Each structure stands twice: as structure tokens, then as C-alpha cells.
Amino acid sequence: MSHELTWLLVAIPAVSAAILLLGGKATNAWGHLLGTAASLASFVCGVLLFVQMQGLHGEERSETVRLFEWFTVGSVKVDFTLLIDPLSILFVLLITGVGSLIHIYSIGYMEHDARRRRFFAYLNLFIAAMLLLVLAADYLLVFVGWEGVGLASYLLIGFWQHKNSAAVAAKKAFVVNRVGDIGLSLAVMSMWALFGSSAFTTVNSGAESMSSTWATLVGLMLLLAACGKSAQVPLQSWLLDAMEGPTPVSALIHAATMVTAGVYLVVRSHAIFEQSEAASTAVVIVGTVTALAGAIIGTAKDDIKKALAGSTMSQIGYMMLAAGLGPAGYVFAIFHLITHGFFKANMFLGAGSVMHGMNDDVNMRHYGALRTSMKVTFATFAFGYLAILGIPPFAGFFSKDKIIEAAFADNIVIGLCALLGAGITAFYMTRVMLMTFFGKKRWDDDVHPHESPKVMTIPLIILAALSLGGGALYFAGHWIEHWLEPVVGKHEEHHLPLPAIVMTLITLAVVAIGLLIAVLKYRRDIPREAPAGSPLTVLARRDLYGDALNEAVLMRPGQYLTRTLVWLDNRGVDGLVNGLAALFGGLSGRLRRFQTGFVRSYALSMVFGAAFVVVALLAVRLS
Amino acid sequence: MIGLILPAADFVAPKIEYTELMPMLVVFGAACVGVITEAFLPRALRHAAQLAITVVAIVVAGVLTGLLINDNKELIAAQGAISVDGPALFTWLILLALTLISVLLFAERSLDGGLSAFASQAAAVPGSEAEREGTAARIEHTEIFPLTLFAVGGMMLFASANDLLVLFVALEVFSLPLYLLCGLARRRRLISQEAAMKYFLLGAFASAFLLFGIALLYGYAGTMSLGGIADALAQDTGAESILLAGTGLIGVGLLFKVGAVPFHSWTPDVYQGAPTPVTGFMAACTKIAAFIGLMRVFYVALGGSRWDWAPMMWVVAILTMVVGSIVAITQTDVKRMLAYSSIAHAGFLLTAFVGLAQAGSGVSNGITSTQAVLFYLVAYGFSTIGAFAVVTLVRDAGGEATHLSRWAGLGKKSPLLAGIFAFFLLSFAGIPLTAGFTGKWAVFSAAWTGGAWPLVVVAVLSSLVAAFFYVRVIVLMFFSDLPTDAPDVALPGWQTTTAVALGLAATVILGLVPGPVLELAARAGEFIR
């Protein structure tokens, strides 16, 4: 494989971002075109690499590209090394492919924004950082990409910083992500301590000799990192607020790519998780809880983007669940990650298209009956909808069904939870669909919905096609299983309590029940103002009290702590310091009086000094 | 210069190593030429001629010293009277370098209406008609240049004296010109003359102690040479009380020059009264010469009885650090504050001196006391002259505005000047990346390896107290409002500019890359006998 292509992947968007950021207003006219071209060029590189890889077999498909020695500190040496292998190439194609579509879409979506050039610079920065994250061959380099996407995410959530809510949301995302980042940095440091290096090769080969305690510790640190980046419970709170960013950002970063980095990290670190039952179980529990929590939150949101964000949390929960199941689940975690990337990006961009036609209103209670006025958007959104429900032959059917199967094979409780989640998913997605595209018009007076321009609808159509056809990765002879085998090991067949076909039918039945409940409930007229709702609805609207919990457990005690410290500082420390200063000042004032200005007293002090010196000498000698 | 007077009957011409002593001879010779110039050259030409002679002499002497260092010269010259060893040569070099900078400050004439900082006629009564006439006629005392040369020659001799009598002579040779220089201020002449008088009286008093100590030691050892005293100590002749009394009294004389408590009381008054360029010269060069002389006597001659005098020196070191730092807090005059600061620095230097980390003693494999002290003196010397040079620039109608309240808001008026002064203060406080930090680190680590860790603890605590009054000035300069009647910042001539720049450059470089000078100080090795 070509070395140049590998580093060009990262370099092209990075250079483009630099040009757009440093070039300033001079690049305003063509900035969006350069940004899109950079993303497309990266995609072409990815495709070429993928094609080259087809000619190779097994282990040959993994290749490390050492670019230069990054730094050496004592015995720790870190190279700037990229790893191109079947896992990372899938991510490359997803990031650059979906990324390019979203770039194109953004040309239309951000057309009237004065800072469009800057927006594209940040998008390019994100693409570069995300590619570095998935191509790095060393955990420390992963960390660089990890922080890079965090930065891009922060900048883009707060892109409309003139809105206070956007600025606050960006800050929240930043702070919560720091908590996760501590996990990753601790993990990297532990690896240095344990293996003397954080390179994948060293860590993977050394993992077997780890003590189980260390494996659990490092696994939990990595899980903490994954929770932060992938908005998993308990670090989920930032994702819903992150919807303050422009919709293409929500589609690219907070649905299709960045938030799945946690899943990538867990799968990439499979060698460590396989050494620790406890850590793997923790991953499964986190995934299951988030899958349900996200789905429940999604049921009550009237903001179309927040409903989709809850759905994203939930779907990533599924991926986490699968990744925690070990060799039986890795492939499906990645598979679902890719199909989800297609259909969720599709739906987010669809939501963006709707907002575009509705004067940027996000409240679904102000929508209704849009299927006639926005035909393309409706049709493509419907593809995404069917995919996430898991209706065959849409992509989601293959990936989600497999995860539920694997969950059942592992543990009946987890399986039931996953199944329940699928039912709730059907409910809230049907709710979104009905509130937006069906029923009566509930529009504001000055709104005149219209279809979006071609530059926005064409990416929608492509993503809709992928939402339909993405399942081919699996049903075409279990291609993805074989493709990932060199990286995650041989796929383990699981032993189901029931025949697979029965499982599938049960799943479809649960999905149908969820769908029916939603149809029954939202077939009626929907009030423009949200009704009070049942306690359960309120619970879901309040994000399951996630923010309230954070406030009670972290924020308020933190504020009390800082207040106490300020008080202690003012009274205790300052008092001590001021007291000391006064003491020395007083002492100084006293000693100063000896400096009378009279030579006679100076001479006398010298005589006393001389007497002291001689007496001291004699005393030492005679004692 | 020859310490021994031999009976006339069998007179043998003494053997003088002219090559090795040439730097000193050049300085003294140039001083004599200066005196003659003063007598024969017309007044109008004197300033330029004297400055040229002085600078050339110092540069030539410096180059010669450099050559000697390069040759690793190490011998006892002039019939055992002078020891030309590593520490002596190193000291010569820094003395000459710092004197060169000081001479530039002496020659500055653009600060005070085209007149130098020195009185036109020292003999004229302050405030009298004669004084006004002298000022109007732009008369100057160009004798300051030969006086400076005599002083620095005496300091060089003092730092390399291998004989107590030579030590005493050298002390007087460098002290007498300094007494004169102190009394020559053009502005505030009364306080200047008072300072000179006090310095002279107390200096004479201290010399008496020194001389009595020398007599007692001669009584004990029967010889004046440092090596001879050391031999006598090794043989243990038994007259211990004479030895101890002699040690103590010599210590008093030397500690007076160093400015150690309780023999420090002259320092603030003299530093404040003397013309500021002279204060800078004294603060840097006298301290260097005195410290090296102190170390030479106590290490070479009295090293054998160090367990007798070390406890006394511990107490003196602690007193010096503590009193210097604490009394500085309440000072209201910049020059007095710097005087107390120099006392505190003497205390820090004493820690390394008492630490006795010697290469030969098997105590240390790191920094030796001599190396640490030499480095510290370089760092301290450059920062000190630089700081006093800055003090000369802040002026109002009455001359230099040295009261601290007049420095309020200076950072707003002249950020550059205030910034440079702040940097010197930070160096005195020992903040990292300045020369002062490296110096402190060197002396403290020498003291620590020498086993004097309680001294290091006291020193660090004193540094904390000292940091307070240094930073207070910085706060005053940068965070106070500029009063309407703020003093002016005079535009310096090239002389002061060069002096400040050199002081600043040395402070920065010694803070960032102390390696070469530390290396040079290590190469100086130990005192020989």
C-alpha cells in the first residue's frame, strides 16, 4: 500500500483547515469549495487505499507507516506512526465519505451565514483530527486526534456563539469531555508504566501478561474515555445540548463519526478488555443502560434534533453493548456503527432540510403535513426511519438484529433490554415521523415550507441509498466478518436459546408493537403547546434528571468546595500570611532602631560583636 | 608589595615573578600615570585622558589575567607574599570586568546637566560660594579615575595575599581610595561627607582589630605567611587561647569588609551617602575582594582549626541573613534597601563558606564552596552594578530620587527602565531563569553537601522574607498610580546605557546558561598555600 496516500489522508484536510483559518477574509469567496475539495480528496485517497487493500490478504492488509520520531523522554520513545488496516480503512471511508456529503450539503445549508468559510475550516479540522484518531498506531497519537476532535466539536457546537445557549452548550461539552479525557490520559500513562510504550503493537502483545487487576483498571480508564466521547451514561449530558450547533455538525460529529470514537477505542483495545471480565461487563452494562436511557429520552422530546440526539445515544449504547460482548460482538459493533453513520446522518440532514424550510424552527409541534411540501426530504427521511427501525432489507435490520441476537446469546437480561430498546426506538421514531410529516399543518403564520436546493437534497438521496443498501456489507457472504478478522480475531458464533429466524421475528414483532402504540397515540391532533404529560414523560423530557443529578452530585458540592476554599483562603491563609507579615514588619521596625546613625554606637556594636566572636571561639574550644 | 623586610647585611634581591604579577602591576602603574597626568595635563583634556588610561589599563590587565587563566598558572609569587592561584585569577578577572563597568558609570556626564556625579571641589564647603563657582566653571575631580585604579589594584592584591602583612597593606590600599570616593558626591554633599567620615572611622576601627589579630597569630605561629600558620596549627604548639583570640579578631576585621552582622552597621549609611556609581562599585567589588580574602585566610591558614571557628561563623551567617532580610523590609530608600539586601547576600555567601565543601576534603562530589562563592559573586556583582546604574537614572530637581515613594508608578512612565530594574530585583530574590537563582542554588547546594543543612533552611526562609521587599518595589512600580510630581527618567549617555546593558546581559545569560561560568569557576580549583 502506498505510504503517501496514508499520510495525505490526514494532511490534505489539515492543510486546507490551516489555509482557511490563516487566510482570513481573502479566502471567503472560495473557502467552502476548498474545504469540500479537501474532504473529497481525502475520500479519494481512502478509496484508492481500499482498492489496494483488496489485492492483499490477511495480515498483509495491516501496515504501519512510520513518519518520524515524535519525541523521546528517558526510556519512552514515541514515533509518529500511522496504522492502516481493515478496521481503520472502514472508518476512513465512513469519515471521508459521509464527511464529504455533509460538506456538500453545508454549502447550501450555510449559504447565508457570514462565517461560512470559518465553518468549513472547522469541518476540515475535524476531518483531519478524526482521521488521525482512527489512523494512529499509538495510544498517545490517538489522544492527539481525540483532543483534536474535541476541539473541533467545541468550536462547532459554539459556532453561533452569539447565542448564549450555544456558548453554554459548547462549554458543557468541553467540560464533560475533559472528564473522559482524564481516563484516556491515565490509560496511556498506565501503558507506559506497564509496557514502557503506548504503541498498539507493544500493548497488544503485552496485554496477555498483564495482571487482571491492571487489565481491569486500564479497561475502566478506557471505558471512562469512551463514555465521555460517545456520550454514554454517566457522561451523556453534553450530547443533547450539543444540538445547539449547526445541523450538519450534528449530523457529522454528533451522530455519524466523532461520538462513535468510544466504540472504536473499545474495539481497538480488545486485547485489554479480553483480559478482564469485569471491564468487559462494565462496557456491556454502560451500553445497555445508555441504549435504554437514550431511547426513553427520545420519546418525549419535541425538538426534532434532540429527539434524534437521544436516538444517537441509544444507538451508540447498542454498539457499546456489542463491543463489550467480546469477539462475538466486535464485528457487529463496527457494522452497526457504519450503518448508523449512514442512516443517522441521513435523518439529521433531513431534519436540517426541514428546519431550512421552516425558518429554523426545531419544535416538531409546529410542523405537520410536510410530506407534500418537501417530497425528497420526506422520502429520504423515510429510508432512514425504516433503517433505524430495523425493517428488512434496510441496513439497520442486519446490524441491529445481530446485536440483539448476540446480547441474548450472552445474557437473557441484556437481551431483553436490547429488545425493549428496539421497541422504544420504533415508538419514538414513529412519533418523530408522524409529528413532522403527517397530520395537520401546525405551522407558524409566516412559514412557507419549500424543498431544499439540489446541493442539499443530493447528499440526502445518496445517504438514503446507503441506508437501504448498507446491509450488503453483511449479507453479501458475511463480508465484514472476514474483512475485520485480521484485526479483531475470528468471529465467534454464538449459541442462541432459540433459532435465529424466531429471534428475528420476535424482534420485528416488538418493533411493530412500538410502532403501533405510536400511531395510536399520535394519530390524533397534536397540540401546539406541549401538554403537562405523565410523570414518565416529564422524566424523559428532563433527560432522566441527568443534569439535575450532575448539579446535585458535582456542581453544587463543587461550588461549596470552592466557596469554602475561598473562605479558608481569606480567613485562614490570608490571616496567617498577614499575621506573619505584620510580625516581620514589627521585628524589622525594632531592629531598625539599632541603626541610630551615630558612629559611636556603631563602634560599640562592633566591640560587642568582637567580644561575642572571641567568647564564642573560646566557648567552643573549652566546652 | 614585598612583605618581608630582610636584614641589610645579607641583602639578596627578591625574586619577583613579573609575568604572573603583571595584571596588578599594570593597574598600579596606570594609577601612578593617572596621578602624573592629573598634575601635568590641562584641565580640559583630563577627563578624556584619564578615562582612556583607566579603560586601557583595565582591559590590558584583564587580557593578561585571561592569558594566565588560560595557562592554568598556579604559584606562590614574590617570595611567598602573593599567591597566584585559580581563585585569585578568577577574582582578578571579575574585579576588572566589574570595575570597567563602574568606570563607565563614573564617566557618565549627561545625567546632571553635563556634569558627572562627583563634586567639583571636594574642599569647598557645601552650599558655599566656592562650590557654586566650581560648578559654574564645570570643574571636575578627575582624580576619581586613578583612585579607582588604586582601589581595584588593592582589591586584587587583597584577594591574592598569601601573607597577613600583605593582606593588611592591601586592605588599606583599597580602603583609603574608597573613603575618598564616598565623600565626593556632587549632590547632597553633607550626607556624602558624613558617609565618608563614618566609613573611615569604622574602617580604621576594624583595621585595628585585624592588626591585633595578625599580631596574635604571629605570636602563635611565629610567621605571617598563611602556609606557615597552617603548619604551626598542624604541629599544635599549645598556645591555643592566643590562636583563638587571633582568629576571632582577624575574623572581625574581614567580616567588617564583607558587611556581615554584627559588623554591618556602616553599610546602609555609606551606601546611601556615597555617590551612586561608587556605591555600585563598592557593593560589587569590595564584597568580592573581602570575601575571597576571608576565605583564603580561613581556609588556607586556619583550615586546621575549622571546628573551632565554624560554630561562630554559623551564628554570624544566620544573623547576617536574618537581620539583612528583616531590616530591609521597612526601608524607605532604594539605596538603603539595596544595602540591606547586600548584607543578606553576604549571609547567603557565608553559608557556602561555612559549608566547607572542598574538593580535597572528600565531602563533596558536586559543587565546591569556592566554586559556588565565585559564581555567586559574579552573578551578584553584575546585577548589583546594573541595579545601582538604574538608580542613577531616576531623578528630580534635587538629583536622584531615591525615596521609594518617588518610585511609585514608574512602570507607567518608563516601562523599559522599570522592567529592567524589576528583573534585577527578581535576580536578587533568586527567581529561576535569572543569575541570582543559579547563584543561590550553587551556594546552597555547596552548603548542603558540606553538611550545613540548618543554614540552608534558614537561608531559604530568609530568601522568602527577602522576596517580599524586592517584590514590593515591583508592585510599587507597576501597580501604583503615577503621581503628578513624579520624578523624571533621565536619558542616559552611552556609558550608563552600556553599563545597564552589560549588567542585564550577564544576569540573563548566567540565569539561562550558567554552565560556562560554573565551569570556569570549577577550573579555578582551590586555594593553594
Side-chain angles (χ1 to χ4, degrees):
Chain A
M1 284 179 284
S2 166
H3 286 194
E4 283 71 26
L5 283 176
T6 311
W7 66 260
L8 274 176
L9 270 176
V10 184
I12 294 172
V15 168
S16 167
I19 292 173
L20 293 182
L21 285 175
L22 299 177
K25 284 182 188 144
T27 58
N28 268 357
W30 40 269
H32 55 287
L33 298 177
L34 175 69
T36 310
S39 180
L40 279 169
S42 231
F43 177 61
V44 171
C45 290
V47 170
L48 289 175
L49 278 168
F50 184 68
V51 170
Q52 284 179 355
M53 216 180 258
Q54 299 305 318
L56 302 167
H57 299 282
E59 299 289 335
E60 292 170 18
R61 285 178 176 161
S62 294
E63 186 168 306
T64 51
V65 181
R66 184 178 175 279
L67 295 176
F68 52 86
E69 183 186 308
W70 188 12
F71 63 81
T72 310
V73 181
S75 61
V76 175
K77 181 167 163 289
V78 179
D79 287 334
F80 200 99
T81 310
L82 301 181
L83 168 68
I84 186 91
D85 71 355
L87 178 60
S88 55
I89 194 73
L90 284 183
F91 269 90
V92 165
L93 292 176
L94 176 71
I95 295 160
T96 55
V98 175
S100 296
L101 291 174
I102 289 171
H103 272 78
I104 295 168
Y105 176 94
S106 302
I107 295 176
Y109 190 86
M110 301 295 285
E111 191 175 358
H112 304 297
D113 195 301
R115 294 155 74 227
R116 179 165 71 167
R117 184 234 346 140
R118 187 185 288 263
F119 179 80
F120 276 84
Y122 292 161
L123 277 189
N124 274 188
L125 176 68
F126 168 76
I127 297 275
M130 188 73 200
L131 286 173
L132 183 63
L133 196 166
V134 298
L135 285 170
D138 187 302
Y139 280 98
L140 191 65
L141 207 52
V142 170
F143 189 65
V144 174
W146 193 266
E147 293 298 306
V149 293
L151 171 68
S153 161
Y154 168 78
L155 292 171
L156 286 164
I157 294 171
F159 188 73
W160 287 321
Q161 74 252 75
H162 54 83
K163 286 197 295 182
N164 185 46
S165 56
V168 170
K171 194 164 78 181
K172 185 174 179 185
F174 194 79
V175 171
V176 177
N177 267 290
R178 290 281 80 65
V179 179
D181 295 346
I182 289 171
L184 186 53
S185 48
L186 284 177
V188 173
M189 291 177 215
S190 309
M191 287 167 191
W192 280 341
L194 291 169
F195 313 119
S197 162
S198 53
F200 288 166
T201 46
T202 323
V203 174
N204 286 345
S205 59
E208 284 180 16
S209 56
M210 280 169 104
S211 70
S212 64
T213 317
W214 268 112
T216 307
L217 274 176
V218 176
L220 291 178
M221 291 168 196
L222 291 169
L223 176 60
L224 178 65
C227 283
K229 199 56 94 190
S230 295
Q232 299 293 291
V233 175
L235 300 178
Q236 82 292 354
S237 61
W238 65 274
L239 185 62
L240 291 161
D241 292 4
M243 295 302 127
E244 288 291 339
T247 308
V249 172
S250 310
L252 177 61
I253 301 184
H254 304 119
T257 54
M258 186 192 83
V259 285
T260 60
V263 180
Y264 169 80
L265 188 72
V266 172
V267 173
R268 189 53 100 182
S269 313
H270 64 91
I272 290 170
F273 284 98
E274 278 160 18
Q275 298 301 316
S276 168
E277 189 68 27
S280 309
T281 311
V283 175
V284 172
I285 291 171
V286 164
T288 312
V289 169
T290 313
L292 287 175
I296 292 169
I297 290 171
T299 56
K301 292 290 176 187
D302 291 332
D303 178 328
I304 186 169
K305 286 179 72 181
K306 291 204 171 174
L308 288 174
S311 160
T312 304
M313 265 175 68
S314 165
Q315 296 299 311
I316 297 171
Y318 275 107
M319 299 171 208
M320 274 291 178
L321 193 173
L325 292 177
Y330 296 140
V331 170
F332 301 132
I334 299 298
F335 181 35
H336 192 56
L337 193 158
I338 291 167
T339 56
H340 173 258
F342 295 152
F343 61 69
K344 187 54 69 61
N346 175 16
M347 284 193 284
F348 259 115
L349 293 185
S353 177
V354 169
M355 287 159 57
H356 201 64
M358 300 294 289
N359 289 2
D360 287 329
D361 192 349
V362 290
N363 192 339
M364 291 190 287
R365 291 186 184 278
H366 302 169
Y367 294 173
L370 288 171
R371 68 181 180 283
T372 46
S373 43
M374 304 176 85
K375 291 200 178 67
V376 181
T377 305
F378 167 64
T380 54
F381 198 91
F383 271 53
Y385 165 72
L386 293 170
I388 194 172
L389 255 59
I391 306 294
F394 288 87
F397 165 72
F398 299 98
S399 52
K400 196 150 129 195
D401 194 46
K402 283 291 164 193
I403 291 179
I404 294 172
E405 270 183 29
F408 266 110
D410 187 66
N411 182 314
I412 187 81
V413 178
I414 302 290
L416 286 174
C417 287
L419 192 60
L420 178 64
I424 303 176
T425 306
F427 173 82
Y428 70 74
M429 282 315 302
T430 309
R431 175 174 173 271
V432 169
M433 198 70 188
L434 292 176
M435 286 176 84
T436 307
F437 294 103
F438 294 87
K440 291 182 180 163
K441 294 175 184 174
R442 300 181 299 277
W443 308 342
D444 286 333
D445 295 337
D446 56 341
V447 168
H448 307 288
H450 54 86
E451 188 52 272
S452 298
K454 283 241 166 57
V455 73
M456 286 168 70
T457 51
I458 288 172
L460 282 176
I461 292 167
I462 297 174
L463 284 169
L466 288 168
S467 305
L468 171 62
L473 291 178
Y474 183 74
F475 71 72
H478 295 203
W479 176 83
I480 195 165
E481 273 184 31
H482 303 302
W483 179 254
L484 287 176
E485 200 179 297
V487 183
V488 298
K490 189 148 174 62
H491 179 68
E492 280 176 14
E493 279 304 327
H494 34 252
H495 306 285
L496 286 171
L498 296 166
I501 184 72
V502 179
M503 292 291 315
T504 305
L505 289 174
I506 291 175
T507 309
L508 284 175
V510 172
V511 166
I513 293 168
L515 191 152
L516 272 177
I517 295 174
V519 169
L520 290 174
K521 193 161 161 36
Y522 293 97
R523 189 184 48 167
R524 301 188 299 269
D525 283 347
I526 295 158
R528 260 178 70 87
E529 293 303 320
S534 67
L536 196 66
T537 317
V538 175
L539 182 71
R541 274 187 198 145
R542 294 270 181 86
D543 306 343
L544 304 178
Y545 294 111
D547 284 341
L549 188 76
N550 280 348
E551 274 182 26
V553 177
L554 300 171
M555 194 185 91
R556 294 224 185 82
Q559 284 176 339
Y560 287 134
L561 183 68
T562 51
R563 272 184 218 140
T564 315
L565 286 177
V566 166
W567 185 84
L568 268 181
D569 187 55
N570 283 340
R571 298 291 166 82
V573 179
D574 284 9
L576 191 68
V577 169
N578 292 338
L580 265 178
L583 178 73
F584 279 112
L587 199 58
S588 179
R590 297 256 154 72
L591 284 172
R592 221 182 132 177
R593 293 198 197 138
F594 287 101
Q595 199 71 20
T596 54
F598 293 118
V599 179
R600 56 173 187 264
S601 54
Y602 293 176
L604 192 64
S605 73
M606 282 175 63
V607 171
F608 283 135
F612 153 75
V613 163
V614 174
V615 170
L617 280 169
L618 291 170
V620 168
R621 185 63 176 200
L622 300 177
S623 64
Chain B
M1 231 169 303
I2 306 150
L4 298 172
I5 297 166
L6 299 160
D10 47 349
F11 184 85
V12 185
K15 182 169 165 290
I16 305 291
E17 289 81 352
Y18 287 101
T19 325
E20 284 75 23
L21 298 179
M22 195 48 82
M24 242 190 298
L25 296 177
V26 166
V27 171
F28 280 123
C32 295
V33 172
V35 172
I36 297 166
T37 310
E38 197 64 30
F40 292 102
L41 219 61
R43 197 180 284 280
L45 300 176
R46 279 188 213 156
H47 183 87
Q50 291 285 21
L51 181 61
I53 292 169
T54 312
V55 168
V56 168
I58 291 171
V59 169
V60 169
V63 170
L64 291 172
T65 310
L67 291 175
L68 290 175
I69 290 177
N70 200 35
D71 293 345
N72 283 324
K73 284 286 184 207
E74 203 167 67
L75 80 162
I76 307 283
Q79 306 273 41
I82 298 170
S83 111
V84 182
D85 54 8
L89 288 171
F90 188 93
T91 311
W92 290 3
L93 197 63
I94 43 176
L95 279 174
L96 289 166
L98 293 171
T99 307
L100 186 65
I101 300 180
S102 305
V103 165
L104 289 178
L105 290 178
F106 291 177
E108 177 64 79
R109 287 202 287 189
S110 55
L111 296 177
D112 201 2
L115 293 165
S116 72
F118 298 94
S120 50
Q121 278 178 301
V125 177
S128 67
E129 189 59 33
E131 186 189 40
R132 270 191 291 281
E133 280 171 10
T135 310
R138 305 194 155 257
I139 300 173
E140 289 180 285
H141 269 304
T142 41
E143 289 92 341
I144 50 165
F145 293 105
L147 284 175
T148 309
L149 282 178
F150 277 122
V152 71
M155 289 170 186
M156 290 166 74
L157 183 60
F158 191 75
S160 54
N162 193 41
D163 183 297
L164 290 176
L165 218 47
V166 176
L167 186 83
F168 181 76
V169 171
L171 180 80
E172 296 305 322
V173 169
F174 84 74
S175 293
L176 290 169
L178 282 179
Y179 300 150
L180 273 177
L181 286 171
C182 284
L184 285 178
R186 172 182 295 278
R187 305 277 195 159
R188 296 188 197 142
R189 289 189 56 204
L190 283 175
I191 187 178
S192 170
Q193 292 180 351
E194 182 188 329
M197 193 67 196
K198 281 180 179 168
Y199 194 17
F200 172 67
L201 285 174
L202 294 172
F205 195 46
S207 294
F209 281 104
L210 182 73
L211 204 54
F212 196 15
I214 291 173
L216 288 175
L217 277 189
Y218 182 77
Y220 172 78
T223 171
M224 295 278 186
S225 95
L226 302 186
I229 295 170
D231 290 338
L233 259 176
Q235 285 158 13
D236 192 12
T237 55
E240 267 167 10
S241 47
I242 296 182
L243 168 72
L244 293 175
T247 306
L249 294 180
I250 284 204
V252 170
L254 294 171
L255 288 171
F256 172 84
K257 282 289 166 197
V258 167
V261 178
F263 314 106
H264 68 289
S265 39
W266 62 277
T267 318
D269 292 17
V270 174
Y271 277 24
Q272 187 187 13
T276 308
V278 175
T279 311
F281 173 63
M282 269 197 311
C285 295
T286 310
K287 189 141 295 189
I288 292 171
F291 220 94
I292 300 303
L294 176 77
M295 288 182 85
R296 187 181 290 283
V297 170
F298 277 81
Y299 279 10
V300 175
L302 303 169
S305 66
R306 69 162 155 283
W307 303 119
D308 292 330
W309 54 258
M312 178 269 284
M313 284 293 181
W314 274 54
V315 177
V316 171
I318 291 173
L319 275 176
T320 308
M321 291 186 285
V322 170
V323 171
S325 303
I326 289 182
V327 181
I329 294 176
T330 42
Q331 297 308 313
T332 51
D333 185 283
V334 177
K335 285 166 80 177
R336 278 185 93 81
M337 189 205 82
L338 288 175
Y340 279 104
S341 144
S342 93
I343 294 172
H345 282 289
F348 298 141
L349 280 161
L350 282 173
T351 60
F353 164 65
V354 188
L356 272 170
Q358 275 172 289
S361 64
V363 188
S364 161
N365 46 9
I367 290 181
T368 67
S369 288
T370 319
Q371 182 193 3
V373 166
L374 288 174
F375 183 86
Y376 197 104
L377 288 170
V378 178
Y380 165 80
F382 279 99
S383 304
T384 299
I385 295 189
F388 279 108
V390 172
V391 171
T392 63
L393 297 180
V394 181
R395 313 183 74 95
D396 56 18
E400 289 161 10
T402 55
H403 198 274
L404 269 177
S405 64
R406 308 281 288 144
W407 285 55
L410 200 69
K412 297 193 171 71
K413 193 175 190 94
S414 174
L416 179 68
L417 181 97
I420 291 173
F421 196 66
F423 190 77
F424 286 132
L425 291 176
L426 291 176
S427 176
F428 288 140
I431 304 297
L433 298 186
T434 63
F437 169 76
T438 323
K440 276 215 174 88
W441 170 78
V443 292
F444 292 171
S445 69
W448 190 279
T449 46
W453 64 266
L455 276 184
V456 177
V457 172
V458 175
V460 170
L461 292 176
S462 303
S463 301
L464 273 177
V465 176
F468 170 79
F469 62 80
Y470 294 127
V471 174
R472 193 181 58 152
V473 178
I474 298 178
V475 171
L476 189 72
M477 288 192 299
F478 286 96
F479 301 104
S480 299
D481 289 330
L482 190 69
T484 44
D485 62 338
D488 286 326
V489 173
L491 199 64
W494 65 269
Q495 299 95 331
T496 308
T497 311
T498 316
V500 173
L502 285 175
L504 185 66
T507 310
V508 172
I509 291 169
L510 290 177
L512 294 179
V513 259
V517 176
L518 272 175
E519 190 71 20
L520 198 64
R523 243 186 71 185
E526 292 296 333
F527 298 102
I528 61 165
R529 44 175 289 199

